């Protein structure tokens, strides 16, 4: 155990912020905004610092660093166990970054009940960071469910006209998924027979479990994670939630929440149940391909800009599934890379859609045109984001898709061909959207709208830079991701 | 006889008597006489505070005296809590780590084991919650204070006796002490026909249940020749038979056992013996409803644990005890599944909060019965822990209902519209408690359910755990209906502008001010809900001692 509990500090600083915010009188809006930003900035700084000293920190057990472990409920084998490896560190950084950006972006967007909004968003951040860092199933589950409640209120109170429906749908889908996941976790606990909820220990003992049971557990865990990803046909909550959620929440939803699902595959399902994972490989690939193609086709048909971006997320998450199914080092690297690149790009897309909506008060693609003329700076950054989204070489999204496809090639040419078709459609709807929204005649009613504010630019620029940097220097991430990917390949029996 | 071992009971009984006497001497006859009429002049839907406030000044002195009865009861309960907590050490200090034997005239009648002590603490704590909730309610709604507090204390006394005995006769005495107090408590709103209906229904079904229980006890005695529960497992073959379907079992004893299951089914409000509960819960004064939903129910569970626990365990830790034992286990399994499912499904359709909470508490009785169905020490320990978690949570929920009741609203789900704005603290507390009832971490309800899951799966009843999971998901539906009102519905916002002057406080759309006592009760309950999860380890150890020491 290292000296300073960086991970605990990181996870619980936002919670402290939540409690502090509740003590500030609710009409002191300026103070509330600054306090919230401060408490969202601390985890970001901490995660950057942890990344900086990553190389000089010794690896403890199971390829983990910065481990913290205390007994919590020894009679049931539950311990407070945090730790980070190359899989979780980038996701933690992404979470901290996007949460901070969401908080700052919310400064100008939230105009009622500010205190509750910022308190909830910080609570949400604690939950998300906890999910990525906890390595005990019960602690993991506690944080997993902790995400659910603030998200429900954030959509349900500050959302659009159909917010109640969207929030409830999100809540019920995720809750049902997660209780089924809990059943799977309990099955792992009992069948592994080690009397512990320690993820790492259980992962080494699962060969004791009969194969039939392994398959059932895999399915139970899959349902819990698939709802979050979301995998077709469990995806229908996502477009509703995105359309109704306020912009900062959409950003977090797309950038971080979906990754909780894919992270679950990488952290739990695949390492713990490699045999079942191989057994379901083709099914996973099929679902991944459905996600890619169905998501892209549906995105193309959307009239609402935000819905288009939401379906595009579904399409991209399909690549993560495909990478998992292929299970070659390259494909797994690509899938993990997709987690991060999609987090940055989709967050960016929702910020831009939000910026356009704030000004024009519509997300209807048919009612938008010529944004280049009326809002040149916003339009430029929007174009950049959509190019990143369609997988333009030189930007982060391309690296991820390329690695997944290159990695999947030796496994199945058909998969690659179908995914390639999906990519074409993705490129198609992105370009078509840009043509309709950004180009063309500027609309008279949009004349005189204010272009990007300094505060907005402050939220855009870091993400834009990261998308570009990760597009040309994938080594920054690959160094971290490769270790976990190789370990996973070994567990899955090599390729 | 070591008097310390029964000190909590003595204190509670004494406090009850003092409350009665105080009522007689402190509260003026005039005030007592008008209390009913005042209540009649202000039906439940009209805010009471504003109407009463004018008179309150004139009657300040009697009002203060009326509250004094409540404070005395509170002091007695706090004292009893202190002495109950001190018994925790005693319960572990007996010979061979077991409970000390009570000698003297009560020998064989009373035990001071962990189950008894732990639940006594819970009962006294519940009592403190109910008294805190009741003081203002009684003042505002004109409950006869002497009767309310004294009967509550006597009911708690009966509950304490129920859990602290291993003798059927003594258990019945405790049961009836509780039950008779509760019948009267349900009818305390004398001018309200609903309250009368509640009392009558509760009395009729309760008396029937008591008769069935007594008959069952007589048959068990006839079959085994003993009323001592500790001796019952030794009569396993007599009670349950061995080899084949009941060849050696005495039908008399077996019928007795089944009658006991049915009788306790009434007391626990298990489906299909539950139909009295929603009416009794709806009609009774809300602090009494809060009490019903946690107090007598927990005591009935503890008593059932005493009677059936050891017998069921003989019947089958690994479910190897032959067909007969399976029948008894099966009975509890069916009861558990039917109760939780029917409770949850019916709760979905409710519009009245107290009725909804009645069905919710039926559903929770179903979860609790999983402990019986599992029939292992771990299952019993989980049951005890869940009882504690559930009691704390439900007191919290009812604290919010009473918070509104004190302002004349709160019975309908729509009364909760916009409460997040009108009473932020109450709404926050209620959300925490509702999350606990659903079973979402990190609340006590989650850890209780987790413990039951673990017990069920390790007892070989995975499917029962799955049924619980499905039921928890169903329960989201109606708890959500309340959460939705709290934060997502605006609550007649347009009427806030109209409300001006002192009436604003009582306008349904305006802010709802709570009283300090209700706030205190809510705060304590929410604290317990949040802390019980993090104190899981020590509590589960105590619950394990309670469940294992049967």
């Amino acid at each position: 155990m290292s000296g300073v509990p960086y991970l605990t500090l990181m996870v619980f600083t936002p919670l402290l912020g939540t409690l502090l915010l509740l003590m500030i009188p609710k009409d002191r809006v300026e103070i509330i905004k600054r306090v919230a930003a401060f408490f969202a900035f601390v985890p970001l700084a901490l995660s950057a610092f942890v990344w900086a000293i990553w190389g000089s920190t010794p690896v403890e057990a199971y390829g983990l660093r910065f481990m913290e472990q205390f007994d919590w409920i020894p009679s049931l084998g539950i311990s407070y166990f945090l730790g980070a490896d190359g899989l979780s560190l980038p996701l933690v950084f992404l979470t901290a970054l996007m949460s901070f950006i969401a908080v700052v972006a919310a400064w100008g967007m939230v105009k009622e009940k500010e205190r509750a909004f910022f308190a909830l968003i910080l609570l949400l951040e604690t939950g998300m960071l906890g999910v990525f860092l906890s390595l005990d199933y019960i602690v993991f589950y506690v944080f997993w469910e902790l995400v659910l409640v603030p998200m429900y209120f954030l959509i349900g109170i500050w959302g659009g006209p159909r917010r109640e429906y969207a929030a409830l749908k999100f809540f019920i889908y995720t809750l049902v998924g997660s209780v089924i996941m809990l059943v799977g976790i309990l099955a792992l606990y009992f069948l592994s027979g080690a009397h512990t909820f320690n993820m790492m220990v259980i992962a080494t003992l699962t060969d004791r479990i009969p194969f039939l049971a392994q398959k059932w557990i895999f399915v139970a865990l899959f349902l819990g994670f698939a709802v979050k990803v979301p995998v077709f046909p469990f995806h229908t909550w996502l477009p509703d939630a995105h359309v109704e959620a306020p912009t900062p929440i959409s950003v977090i939803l797309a950038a971080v929440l979906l990754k909780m699902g894919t992270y679950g595959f990488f952290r739990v399902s695949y390492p713990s149940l490699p045999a079942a994972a191989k057994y379901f490989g083709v099914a996973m690939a099929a679902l991944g391909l459905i996600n890619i193609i169905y998501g892209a086709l549906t995105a193309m048909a959307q009239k609402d800009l935000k819905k288009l971006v939401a379906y595009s997320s579904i399409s991209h998450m399909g690549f993560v599934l495909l990478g998992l199914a292929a299970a070659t080092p390259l494909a797994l690297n690509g899938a993990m890379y997709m987690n991060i690149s999609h987090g940055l790009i989709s967050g960016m897309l929702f910020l831009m859609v939000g910026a356009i909506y704030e000004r024009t008060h519509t997300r209807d693609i048919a009612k938008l045109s010529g944004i280049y003329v009326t809002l040149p700076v916003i339009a430029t950054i929007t174009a950049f984001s959509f190019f990143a989204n369609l997988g333009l070489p030189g930007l982060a999204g391309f690296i991820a898709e390329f690695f997944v496809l290159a990695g999947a090639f030796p496994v199945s040419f058909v998969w690659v061909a179908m995914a390639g078709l999906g990519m074409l459609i993705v490129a198609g709807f992105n370009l078509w959207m840009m043509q309709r929204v950004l180009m063309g005649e500027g609309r008279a009613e949009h004349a005189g709208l204010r272009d990007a504010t300094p505060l907005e630019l402050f939220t855009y620029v870091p993400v834009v830079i990261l998308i570009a940097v990760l597009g040309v220097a994938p080594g920054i991430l690959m160094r971290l991701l490769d270790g976990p990917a190789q370990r996973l390949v070994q567990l899955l029996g090599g390729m | 006889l070591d008097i310390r071992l029964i000190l909590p009971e003595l204190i509670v009984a004494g406090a009850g008597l003092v409350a009665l006497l105080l009522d007689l001497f402190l509260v003026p006859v005039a005030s007592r006489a008008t209390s009913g009429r005042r209540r009649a002049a202000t039906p439940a839907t009209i805010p009471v505070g504003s109407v009463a406030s004018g008179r309150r000044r004139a009657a300040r002195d009697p009002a203060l005296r009326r509250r004094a009865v409540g404070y005395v009861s509170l002091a007695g309960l706090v004292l009893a809590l202190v002495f109950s907590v001190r018994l925790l050490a005693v319960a572990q200090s007996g010979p061979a780590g077991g409970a000390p034997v009570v000698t003297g005239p009560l020998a064989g009648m009373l035990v001071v084991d962990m189950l008894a002590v732990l639940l006594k603490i819970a009962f006294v704590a519940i009592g403190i919650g109910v008294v805190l909730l009741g003081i203002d309610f009684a003042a505002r709604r004109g409950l006869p204070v002497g009767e309310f507090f004294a009967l509550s204390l006597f009911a708690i006394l009966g509950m304490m006796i129920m859990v602290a005995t291993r003798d059927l006769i003594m258990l019945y005495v405790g049961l009836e002490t509780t039950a008779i107090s509760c019948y009267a408590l349900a009818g305390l709103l004398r001018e309200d026909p609903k309250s009368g209906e509640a009392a009558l229904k509760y009395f009729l079904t309760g008396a029937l249940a008591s008769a069935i229980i007594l008959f069952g006890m007589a048959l068990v005695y006839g079959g085994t020749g003993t009323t001592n529960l500790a001796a019952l497992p030794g009569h396993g073959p007599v009670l349950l038979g061995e080899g084949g379907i009941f060849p050696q079992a005495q039908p008399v004893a077996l019928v007795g056992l089944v009658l006991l299951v049915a009788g306790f089914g009434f007391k626990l409000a298990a489906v299909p013996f539950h139909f009295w509960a929603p009416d009794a819960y709806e009609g009774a004064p809300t602090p009494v409803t809060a009490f019903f939903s946690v107090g007598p129910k927990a005591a009935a569970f503890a008593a059932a644990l005493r009677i059936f626990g050891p017998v069921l365990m003989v019947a089958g830790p690994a479910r190897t005890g032959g067909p007969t034992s399976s029948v008894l286990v099966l009975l509890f399994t069916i009861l558990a599944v039917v109760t939780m499912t029917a409770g949850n499904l019916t709760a979905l359709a409710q519009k009245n909060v107290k009725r909804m909470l009645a069905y919710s508490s039926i559903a929770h009785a179903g979860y609790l019965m999983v402990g019986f169905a599992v029939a292992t020490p771990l299952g019993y320990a989980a049951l005890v822990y869940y009882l504690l978690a559930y009691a704390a949570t439900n007191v919290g929920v009812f604290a919010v209902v009473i918070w509104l009741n004190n302002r004349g609203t709160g019975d309908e789900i729509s009364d909760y519209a916009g409460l997040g704005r009108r009473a932020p603290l109450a709404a926050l507390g209620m959300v925490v408690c509702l999350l606990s009832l659903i079973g979402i971490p990190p609340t006590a309800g989650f850890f209780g359910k987790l413990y039951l899951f673990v017990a069920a799966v390790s007892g070989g009843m995975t499917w029962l755990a799955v049924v619980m999971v499905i039921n928890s998901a169903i329960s989201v539906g109606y708890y959500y209906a309340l959460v939705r009102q709290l934060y997502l519905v605006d609550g007649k916002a347009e009427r806030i502008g109209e409300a001006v002057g002192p009436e604003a406080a009582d306008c349904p759309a305006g802010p709802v001010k709570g009283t300090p006592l209700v706030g205190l009760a809510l705060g304590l309950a929410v604290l317990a809900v949040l802390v019980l999860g993090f104190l899981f380890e020590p509590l589960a150890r105590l619950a394990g001692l309670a469940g294992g020491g049967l």
Side-chain angles (χ1 to χ4, degrees):
Chain A
M1 198 173 298
S2 54
V4 186
Y6 290 112
L7 304 187
T8 298
L9 285 175
M10 220 185 281
V11 171
F12 289 103
T13 317
L15 181 66
L16 185 68
T18 300
L19 298 177
L20 267 178
L21 280 182
L22 293 181
M23 291 172 200
I24 302 174
K26 64 178 158 198
D27 45 354
R28 311 294 293 272
V29 175
E30 286 310 309
I31 298 179
I32 286 170
K33 286 176 177 173
R34 292 200 166 83
V35 169
F38 173 77
F39 279 96
F41 180 73
V42 172
L44 176 61
L46 275 172
S47 61
F49 178 72
V50 164
W51 199 329
I53 62 170
W54 186 257
S56 57
T57 312
V59 177
E60 294 166 65
Y62 315 106
L64 297 165
R65 298 174 217 227
F66 300 98
M67 265 169 54
E68 298 168 31
Q69 194 169 11
F70 308 97
D71 278 347
W72 178 15
I73 304 178
S75 61
L76 295 181
I78 300 172
S79 59
Y80 174 77
F81 181 18
L82 300 187
D85 63 3
L87 169 63
S88 50
L89 177 71
L91 283 168
V92 167
F93 180 77
L94 176 76
T95 306
L97 175 70
M98 297 317 277
S99 301
F100 175 66
I101 285 178
V103 167
V104 176
W107 275 16
M109 292 181 190
V110 178
K111 301 202 171 62
E112 51 165 2
K113 302 179 193 160
E114 293 87 352
R115 183 177 67 171
F117 182 90
F118 288 108
L120 284 171
I121 209 170
L122 289 176
L123 186 63
L124 180 68
E125 187 179 359
T126 286
M128 296 185 300
L129 289 171
V131 165
F132 292 132
L133 288 171
S134 51
L135 297 165
D136 177 282
Y137 277 112
I138 296 300
V139 180
F140 175 80
Y141 187 78
V142 168
F143 282 119
W144 183 276
E145 294 285 65
L146 188 59
V147 169
L148 191 55
V149 178
M151 199 50 162
Y152 166 77
F153 285 120
L154 284 167
I155 299 175
I157 299 178
W158 289 271
R162 290 170 72 237
R163 55 180 177 260
E164 265 192 47
Y165 169 78
L168 181 62
K169 197 167 175 184
F170 163 79
F171 192 85
I172 289 182
Y173 268 62
T174 327
L175 186 74
V176 170
S178 59
V179 289
I180 297 173
M181 175 177 91
L182 183 64
V183 173
I185 288 173
L186 288 178
L188 272 178
Y189 170 76
F190 284 105
L191 295 175
S192 66
H195 198 71
T196 176
F197 279 103
N198 185 323
M199 279 185 193
M200 297 297 152
V201 174
I202 286 183
T204 62
L205 298 171
T206 41
D207 42 1
R208 296 180 186 176
I209 301 176
F211 187 53
L212 180 70
Q214 284 198 33
K215 285 191 280 191
W216 278 107
I217 297 173
F218 187 89
V219 169
L221 295 174
F222 174 84
L223 287 174
F225 301 139
V227 169
K228 273 261 154 71
V229 170
V231 178
F232 179 91
F234 309 108
H235 65 284
T236 57
W237 64 269
L238 183 77
D240 287 318
H242 267 313
V243 167
E244 300 307 324
T247 300
I249 302 311
S250 276
V251 170
I252 289 187
L253 195 58
V256 185
L257 238 69
L258 309 190
K259 309 308 174 292
M260 285 167 53
T262 51
Y263 172 81
F265 290 128
F266 284 115
R267 171 69 74 210
V268 178
S269 303
Y270 270 64
S272 298
L273 302 161
K278 271 172 92 169
Y279 178 84
F280 286 111
V282 176
M284 290 283 282
L287 286 172
L289 289 170
I290 292 176
N291 256 40
I292 294 174
I293 295 173
Y294 167 85
L297 284 175
T298 322
M300 190 175 269
Q302 295 310 314
K303 297 187 175 68
D304 182 317
L305 202 48
K306 223 171 173 184
K307 247 185 173 151
L308 178 140
V309 178
Y311 277 106
S312 133
S313 284
I314 294 175
S315 176
H316 282 96
M317 287 292 100
F319 279 96
V320 180
L321 291 183
L322 189 67
L324 276 163
T328 59
L330 208 54
L332 287 171
N333 260 312
M336 293 181 190
Y337 209 95
M338 179 61 93
N339 267 345
I340 308 300
S341 68
H342 176 262
L344 295 169
I345 295 169
S346 65
M348 203 59 213
L349 291 174
F350 279 112
L351 279 175
M352 298 324 297
V353 171
I356 294 174
Y357 177 73
E358 284 270 300
R359 288 164 174 80
T360 62
H361 304 290
T362 181
R363 290 188 308 256
D364 191 340
I365 296 177
K367 290 188 185 146
L368 291 164
S369 71
I371 299 294
Y372 261 127
V373 182
T374 44
L375 300 164
V377 178
I378 285 182
T380 309
I381 301 175
T382 309
F384 173 87
S385 315
F386 276 96
F387 274 118
N389 196 40
L390 67 78
L392 190 74
L395 299 176
F398 170 75
I399 306 280
E401 287 172 19
F402 176 76
F403 278 5
V404 168
L405 293 187
F409 197 82
V411 182
S412 164
F413 173 71
V414 180
W415 296 0
V416 177
M418 289 176 69
L421 175 71
M423 282 176 74
L424 281 182
I425 307 173
V426 169
F429 79 74
N430 276 296
L431 290 170
W432 192 35
M433 194 288 303
M434 282 192 270
Q435 186 205 334
R436 284 181 292 170
V437 172
L438 301 181
M439 308 213 231
E441 294 285 315
R443 294 197 163 220
E445 67 263 33
H446 296 164
L449 290 177
R450 191 175 173 204
D451 211 339
T453 62
L455 186 70
E456 283 174 325
L457 285 176
F458 175 77
T459 59
Y460 303 155
V461 171
V463 190
V464 167
I465 292 175
L466 272 175
I467 292 173
V469 168
L470 288 182
V472 291
I476 301 173
L477 266 186
M478 289 289 177
R479 265 200 297 280
L480 289 169
L481 301 178
D482 197 42
Q486 297 290 356
R487 256 199 309 285
L488 215 51
V489 171
Q490 270 178 7
L491 277 171
L492 292 166
M495 283 287 175
Chain B
L1 172 66
D2 187 348
I3 203 83
R4 280 180 309 155
L5 298 180
I6 56 166
L7 203 50
E9 282 93 333
L10 291 180
I11 294 172
V12 170
L17 291 174
V18 171
L20 266 187
L21 285 175
L22 269 182
D23 180 54
L24 208 54
F25 293 111
L26 265 186
V27 181
V29 179
S31 162
R32 252 184 285 153
T34 55
S35 62
R37 222 172 301 140
R38 179 193 298 173
R39 163 80 195 79
T42 56
T45 45
I46 297 176
V48 180
S50 59
V51 182
S53 63
R55 294 192 195 171
R56 207 185 301 142
R57 192 165 299 126
R60 174 176 290 161
D61 208 22
L64 201 68
R65 289 182 188 175
R66 290 160 58 83
R67 299 172 77 90
V69 182
Y71 289 121
V72 167
S73 315
L74 191 63
L77 284 169
V78 171
L79 201 62
L81 183 68
V82 171
F83 283 101
S84 307
V85 171
R86 288 176 64 172
L87 283 181
L88 272 180
V90 177
Q92 298 176 69
S93 69
V101 182
V102 179
T103 52
L106 290 173
M109 287 293 180
L110 286 180
V111 282
V112 191
D113 61 358
M114 191 48 82
L115 180 66
V117 175
L118 207 54
L119 281 165
K120 271 185 214 174
I121 293 174
F123 294 157
V124 176
I126 289 168
I128 290 175
V130 170
V131 169
L132 282 176
L133 294 176
I135 292 177
D136 293 319
F137 188 94
R140 279 162 196 262
R141 300 286 290 267
L143 282 186
V145 279
E147 287 88 332
F148 173 67
F149 292 110
L151 285 171
S152 299
L153 288 166
F154 292 146
I156 291 168
L157 175 67
M159 285 150 53
M160 292 166 92
I161 293 171
M162 269 165 92
V163 296
T165 182
R166 278 188 184 149
D167 191 277
L168 285 175
I169 303 293
M170 195 69 173
L171 197 148
Y172 187 76
V173 171
L175 190 76
E176 281 303 279
T177 311
T178 306
I180 293 170
S181 309
C182 286
Y183 306 147
L185 278 171
L188 274 188
L189 283 173
R190 280 180 295 210
E191 309 282 329
D192 185 349
K194 271 189 169 178
S195 183
E197 181 193 339
L200 190 64
K201 275 199 174 151
Y202 193 20
F203 170 67
L204 289 177
T205 52
L208 180 66
S210 293
I212 293 174
I213 287 175
L214 196 59
F215 191 40
M217 285 175 173
L219 292 184
V220 168
Y221 174 69
T224 61
T226 178
T227 59
N228 189 348
L229 291 170
L232 277 191
H235 291 84
V238 177
L239 284 169
L240 302 166
E242 232 172 12
I245 301 177
F246 332 131
Q248 293 174 29
Q250 294 198 10
V252 169
L254 193 68
V255 169
L257 221 48
V258 172
L259 283 178
L260 279 174
V261 173
F264 274 98
F266 274 105
K267 298 284 177 194
L268 303 173
V271 177
F273 310 109
H274 68 290
F275 40 81
W276 59 271
D279 292 328
Y281 280 38
E282 186 189 353
T286 314
V288 172
T289 311
F291 181 60
F292 285 176
S293 75
V294 290
K297 182 169 270 201
F301 264 105
L305 206 51
R306 286 250 189 247
I307 297 177
F308 302 113
V311 179
L312 285 171
M313 266 206 286
V314 171
R319 247 154 291 295
T320 51
T324 323
S325 54
S326 304
V327 167
L328 204 63
V329 171
L330 195 68
L331 206 54
F332 273 107
T333 312
I334 293 171
L335 273 181
V337 171
V338 172
T339 303
M340 67 173 92
T341 311
N344 276 322
L345 290 178
T346 323
L348 284 174
Q350 303 306 315
K351 295 275 178 289
N352 179 298
V353 171
K354 283 160 82 177
R355 280 188 94 81
M356 191 196 86
L357 289 172
Y359 283 107
S360 143
S361 94
I362 290 171
H364 283 273
Y367 301 143
L368 282 160
M369 260 180 276
V370 170
F372 286 121
V374 171
T376 59
L378 189 64
Y380 299 156
L383 193 162
V384 171
Y385 179 85
Y386 198 94
L387 266 182
L388 302 179
Y390 165 74
T393 310
N394 239 27
V395 168
V397 171
F398 274 105
V400 179
V401 178
I402 290 165
W403 184 304
L404 287 184
N405 274 181
N406 284 344
R407 294 282 161 191
T409 63
D411 279 357
E412 297 303 317
I413 289 180
S414 55
D415 291 343
Y416 292 77
L419 200 67
R421 174 173 47 73
R422 293 154 57 203
L425 285 177
L428 192 63
M430 189 155 209
V431 165
V432 172
C433 292
L434 291 175
L435 289 178
S436 178
L437 286 177
I438 299 174
I440 288 181
T443 55
F446 166 72
F447 288 96
K449 283 213 174 99
L450 180 70
Y451 206 6
L452 277 174
F453 286 161
V454 170
V457 177
S458 65
M461 302 195 94
T462 310
W463 68 271
L464 199 54
V466 173
V467 172
M468 259 185 94
V469 166
I470 295 170
N471 265 285
S472 304
I474 296 175
S475 75
V476 174
Y478 57 92
Y479 295 128
Y480 161 78
L482 263 182
V483 176
R484 176 177 170 272
Q485 293 288 335
L486 296 178
Y487 288 104
L488 304 194
V489 178
D490 213 22
K492 309 159 194 159
E494 70 277 8
R495 285 184 56 183
I496 299 175
E498 299 168 15
V500 280
E503 279 77 31
D506 290 312
C507 169
V512 197
K513 264 191 66 153
T515 61
L517 292 178
V518 175
L520 180 64
L522 178 62
L524 289 175
V526 168
L527 190 69
V529 167
L530 291 176
V531 164
L532 281 176
F534 292 98
L535 289 182
F536 184 88
E537 184 64 22
L539 266 172
R541 198 178 58 79
L542 296 182
L545 286 176
L550 286 168

